[in-house]
Amino acid sequence: MDVDMLLELVFHLPINYPLCLPGISVNSEHLTRAQCVTVKEKLLEQAENLLSEPMVHELVLWIQQNLRHILSQPETGSGSEKCTFSTSTTVDDGLWITLLHLDHMRAKTKYVKTVEKWVSDLRLTGRLMFMGKIILILLQGDRNNIKEYLVLQKTSKVDVDSSGKKCKEKMISVLFETKVQMEHKRFLAFEVKEYAALDELQKEFETAGLKKLFYGFVLGLVK
């Protein structure tokens, strides 16, 4: 890169900052969407090394020095759509995490696509998890966006009833919600995952720093 590249960074500082990671928005007319996401991921990785001390200035200096190297990596070259949106998942209220339980999905393919569109539009991350008959949605992002998601979930005709007619979701429950803590993993994307056994699902929660959540709310659904 022999030309100057304008990179816009916006840092959202939660109330517990710098004891927790800041939210970071990355924008640039010169970068693709995939490259914007990669830059954000690398900044968050670097921020983890700076926890407990003010880090915004350090992160700005670090990206100035390392942007060329980051963009030269093969995985940042895919996707031609320009990055013209904010990839931040936090606002002043900080990052929240919510665990939802669904009783069933009759029109699974359509339902999953609808959920993926909603979380994308609301800039939420997390997991849609299937294990046997258990269906869980783990959402992470701005609390107001999570609330908006719940409104969509409860008011839209997202599934079909036993006769095949479109119907609203009436059997959804909020198992748990809290502000993201230091030990919680920051999800960088929303993924749909199937688990063959309970220990796989347990590992997912433990890897995300949500072991207590698994034992307190998920395990009881199996019994």
Side-chain angles (χ1 to χ4, degrees):
M1 295 182 300
D2 297 322
V3 296
D4 290 336
M5 182 173 293
L6 181 63
L7 189 68
E8 178 184 302
L9 303 177
V10 178
F11 294 88
H12 302 283
L13 306 184
I15 191 170
N16 293 329
Y17 172 86
L19 297 177
C20 62
L21 297 178
I24 302 176
S25 301
V26 178
N27 283 300
S28 177
E29 294 182 355
H30 303 281
L31 302 184
T32 65
R33 177 174 299 192
Q35 288 173 325
C36 281
V37 171
T38 299
V39 169
K40 178 186 174 182
E41 290 175 354
K42 296 300 182 183
L43 279 167
L44 287 172
E45 288 177 9
Q46 183 66 17
E48 289 181 353
N49 300 323
L50 301 170
L51 282 174
S52 80
E53 58 185 87
M55 65 184 77
V56 171
H57 183 63
E58 291 296 323
L59 291 174
V60 171
L61 293 178
W62 183 84
I63 198 62
Q64 286 178 330
Q65 296 167 3
N66 292 276
L67 182 61
R68 182 190 301 246
H69 174 70
I70 292 171
L71 296 180
S72 68
Q73 300 303 306
E75 63 268 21
T76 66
S78 61
S80 59
E81 188 172 350
K82 291 301 180 182
C83 179
T84 57
F85 68 102
S86 167
T87 56
S88 170
T89 55
T90 64
V91 293
D92 293 343
D93 196 26
L95 203 62
W96 278 72
I97 191 163
T98 298
L99 180 64
L100 309 174
H101 175 236
L102 294 178
D103 184 73
H104 61 268
M105 279 187 186
R106 287 194 175 93
K108 182 176 177 180
T109 302
K110 179 178 179 295
Y111 204 132
V112 170
K113 287 183 178 179
T114 302
V115 169
E116 289 178 319
K117 182 181 186 306
W118 286 342
V119 296
S120 175
D121 291 346
L122 294 169
R123 296 174 185 167
L124 300 174
T125 60
R127 298 284 186 270
L128 171 52
M129 300 175 281
F130 296 92
M131 202 285 293
K133 293 183 178 181
I134 296 175
I135 307 171
L136 300 169
I137 302 177
L138 189 66
L139 299 175
Q140 193 177 81
D142 171 43
R143 192 180 191 188
N144 289 328
N145 287 359
I146 291 177
K147 289 179 180 178
E148 190 172 339
Y149 174 91
L150 286 171
V151 171
L152 288 170
Q153 181 84 64
K154 293 177 180 179
T155 60
S156 303
K157 290 185 177 181
V158 68
D159 205 2
V160 296
D161 60 22
S162 56
S163 63
K165 295 177 64 176
K166 291 182 179 180
C167 65
K168 297 177 182 178
E169 178 58 72
K170 296 179 180 180
M171 302 185 72
I172 183 172
S173 55
V174 179
L175 298 181
F176 181 81
E177 64 175 344
T178 185
K179 201 164 188 178
V180 169
Q181 306 300 313
M182 285 184 63
E183 68 269 19
H184 296 160
K185 172 184 176 181
R186 271 64 176 171
F187 293 102
L188 301 176
F190 186 83
E191 298 178 25
V192 180
K193 304 185 76 170
E194 304 251 3
Y195 305 88
L198 185 62
D199 59 341
E200 292 181 13
L201 184 62
Q202 179 178 342
K203 186 177 180 181
E204 179 80 62
F205 276 83
E206 290 180 350
T207 302
L210 298 168
K211 183 177 181 179
K212 293 180 180 178
L213 186 56
F214 176 81
Y215 283 102
F217 299 92
V218 179
L219 196 57
L221 299 174
V222 183
K223 299 174 181 178

